[in-house]
Amino acid sequence: MMTNVNPFTLEVIKDSLMSIGEEMFIALARTSMSPMFYEVLDYACGLTDAKGNLISQGNGVTSFIGMLSPMVQHVLEKYDDGNELNEGDIIIINDPYVGGGSHLSDVGLVMPIYYEGQLVAFSTNKGHWTEIGGKDPGSFTNNSTEIYQEGLQLPGVKLFEAGKINDGIVDIIATNVRLPQLSLGDMWAQVAALRTGEKRVKELCLKYKKSSITSTMENLVQQAEEYSFKELAQLPKGTYEAQDYIEGDPAKGGPYPIKVKVTITENEFICDFRGSHEQVMNPVNCSYYGLLASVRVMYLAILRPKFTINEGLFKPLKIIVDDNSIVSATRPAPVSMNFEARLGGAELIWKALAPLLRDRLTAGHLLSVCSFLLSGNHQETNEPFLIVEPTLGGWGAGEGQDGQRGQFCMGNGETYNMPIEIAEARYGVRVDNYGLRCDGEGAGEYIGGSGVIRSYQTLSEGQELTVSFGRHQFKPWGMNKGEDGSSSYIEVQKENGEVIGPFGVSSRLKLDKGDIVHLVTATGGGYGEAVNRDAEAVLRDVKNGYFTVKQADEKFGVIINEQKDTIIGLTESRIKN
């Protein structure tokens, strides 16, 4: 039952709870060991109430928004509704098939917070470890056929029990990962962030009383729930459908069809994925909980809340799946590249509703995380190194706006690319090129955002390349008569002059010293007919290199001189239009 709290005090407590999530996030970044954490920010931190409802979150990777609270709820269920938890416990978990699951590389920690002997909240975080074991460096694999090949599984066990470290678990992790100093260093950073959250919540309870804190948490969830139903009422009612494909390694199967039926009623937002392909022996599957996380992100994009996310926003959301499908896979289905399925499923909702919600949703984007892994030994120290990073690409255009250029896909959100200086200092590579991909695709009244080209030259022998680029077979879709974007691909220029590719997927491809790996990502889809684009905007596009003089003529009907500084005419087709 909610306790009456002075409205001024209520606002102070609300803001304090919000700031705790952010402080946890910063604490983790500052104490972590791997660039995946302190540079890329591939993690999230947050607080839940005693029932596992999300209250506040400091977020890097967007998809983790939907993972923290289900992870805490699973821990509660496993430990007898919290009766088997104690003050000082910390649970470690990376099980992909239960609440909060994605793939083994995303490791979560959960800490119950007690005040005066009573459970009041949970401090939690989840982040991508550079290494979690398995058959391939970086624990990303494109050719696994079952989960057991993908790394060490941590099924929600106590890393700390009543404040005492379980050294056996630490030893197991250290023995099973290739770079224990990074993985364990990040684990201790996660522990530090949890304790920061615990400390701040206890301080709030001491200052404002426990009952005021728990009442404020209930108030936050209730307000968000009311907002969600209010926004839902403004959406067009009906059923809308879309279908697409999940890509994998063409040599091993696929593409795999997926479909969604989105039904919007007065009080429910239902996403029905039944009829999608069954789970496969290819690591592009995702579990139901992986799908849930990405669908929540898409739902938020539609609702556009103007306050910090919490559990109440998701009250109207309902997800329906077949058992054992490619978007609801169960053990032992491989899920290393799970983002291909869960982001593909979420973008189906986008595709189904974009024509109806043009002020909220754009044309198709690069979609894929476009994961890139390169392992080898440093040319000077001979120490092993491992690059694990997502790749930037183009977003689709929308009503009144061009697509964003050189951004991560919807699943990565507020993360950062690896700085060239860090890559060259830490790893055995030289970055030969890093720029926008100006390929002339995605034309429209508003143009799709450019992808990127990033080229790594290997500086030592025997390096190995593992990549998974979605949208290498199917282009980002255009909208309202806008043109489709372009496909993503990888190409390897061998030192001896041979060229391998283009291709979308590789597993441990052997490289020689001096080889150059070109990572090329998709340009987003265009919006509206190209001949309706403002002629001066076309001239600026040509000056900026997004389109050539020839493309300006053929696609937009704008004739520009060879100096690229003057419009000298319009084509007949543009004038007629």
Side-chain angles (χ1 to χ4, degrees), residues 110 130 165 185 191 223 260 262 331 412 415 469 531 536:
V110 177
T130 299
I165 185 68
V191 170
Q223 285 183 345
V260 74
V262 181
R331 191 180 301 276
N412 279 85
T415 52
F469 277 35
V531 291
E536 290 296 328

Side-chain angles (χ1 to χ4, degrees), residues 54-110:
L54 183 67
I55 299 300
S56 74
Q57 182 161 326
N59 200 68
V61 172
T62 310
S63 293
F64 288 159
I65 288 173
M67 293 181 184
L68 294 187
S69 55
M71 182 170 67
V72 174
Q73 290 159 14
H74 171 73
V75 168
L76 277 166
E77 180 182 350
K78 179 170 182 173
Y79 287 92
D80 190 24
D81 289 331
N83 293 319
E84 296 176 3
L85 295 174
N86 303 291
E87 187 166 4
D89 286 355
I90 295 180
I91 313 302
I92 187 167
I93 182 170
N94 69 348
D95 188 338
Y97 310 106
V98 301
S102 49
H103 60 174
L104 297 180
S105 297
D106 293 336
V107 180
L109 269 64
V110 177

